[in-house]
Amino acid sequence: MGFLSVLSMAHRWVTERAGSGDTVIDATAGNGVDTLFLAQTVGRGGAVFAFDVQEAALERTKRRLADSAAAESLAPVTLLRAGHERMSELIPASLHGYVRAVMFNLGYLPGTDETLITVPETTLPALEAALGLLAPGGVLTAVLYPGHAGGDTEAAAVERWASALPGSRAQTVVYRFSQKRSAPFVIAVEKR
């Protein structure tokens, strides 16, 4: 049978903490996989905000949402062409402290310029912003890709950030396949 993939594990953790009517965030829209998952998870009564700096990512996400067989039952999605480090500024103040999940899928957008990657200089402030936006019991997931150029540096920085969080603020977990050190892995942070 095998273990869940890192993306499936991230989805599982979100499903356990977010549901119908909740507000959730996709910090890196990319191909729209997580955005669609979040829109399905919180349904028509919920709200999804999806960030990406690349117009191609937002177009792919928009297409994925429109092509979904369950399009009419999805939560409304607000697509924001902005870096995820601007989350606190762009999410309405009335939602701060009420977000149930924030998902990050770091690295680069497949099929485009592989040198355009997420970097610790913006990712770490985005993680802090996401933690501040979460409701108590809400979850932040970050899928990390140490196998591409620059990915190992970002993965190590995110892991240091999560490890340094005080237990009174959050609980953290790492899910990885130990025999494959360059394989993707996921870190989850549950806000206290």
Side-chain angles (χ1 to χ4, degrees), residues 8 28 41 71 77 89 142 183 192:
S8 293
T28 50
T41 299
V77 175
E89 165 195 348
R192 297 256 190 219

Side-chain angles (χ1 to χ4, degrees), residues 22-165:
D22 285 333
T23 298
V24 292
I25 299 170
D26 184 351
T28 50
N31 283 316
V33 173
D34 289 336
T35 306
L36 176 59
F37 160 75
L38 290 167
Q40 291 168 329
T41 299
V42 300
R44 292 184 58 80
V48 179
F49 294 87
F51 290 81
D52 212 291
V53 297
Q54 296 183 72
E55 187 61 36
L58 297 176
E59 286 302 318
R60 289 178 184 185
T61 298
K62 192 183 302 181
R63 220 174 10 258
R64 182 177 297 274
L65 293 167
D67 291 346
S68 169
E72 56 282 337
S73 64
L74 299 177
V77 175
T78 302
L79 298 173
L80 298 157
R81 186 168 182 194
H84 50 205
E85 71 278 8
R86 296 184 57 206
M87 230 183 283
S88 289
E89 165 195 348
L90 297 174
I91 298 297
S94 62
L95 297 175
H96 290 207
Y98 294 97
V99 174
R100 294 300 303 165
V102 182
M103 298 187 78
F104 290 79
N105 197 329
L106 300 169
Y108 60 87
L109 180 61
T112 64
D113 182 356
E114 293 182 13
T115 64
L116 184 56
I117 61 172
T118 55
V119 293
E121 293 78 16
T122 54
T123 298
L124 295 177
L127 291 167
E128 274 298 324
L131 190 54
L133 291 169
L134 285 175
V139 68
L140 174 165
T141 64
V143 177
L144 301 150
Y145 297 87
H148 71 82
D152 54 343
T153 302
E154 183 174 49
V158 172
E159 198 162 10
R160 277 192 307 275
W161 172 82
S163 297
L165 288 171

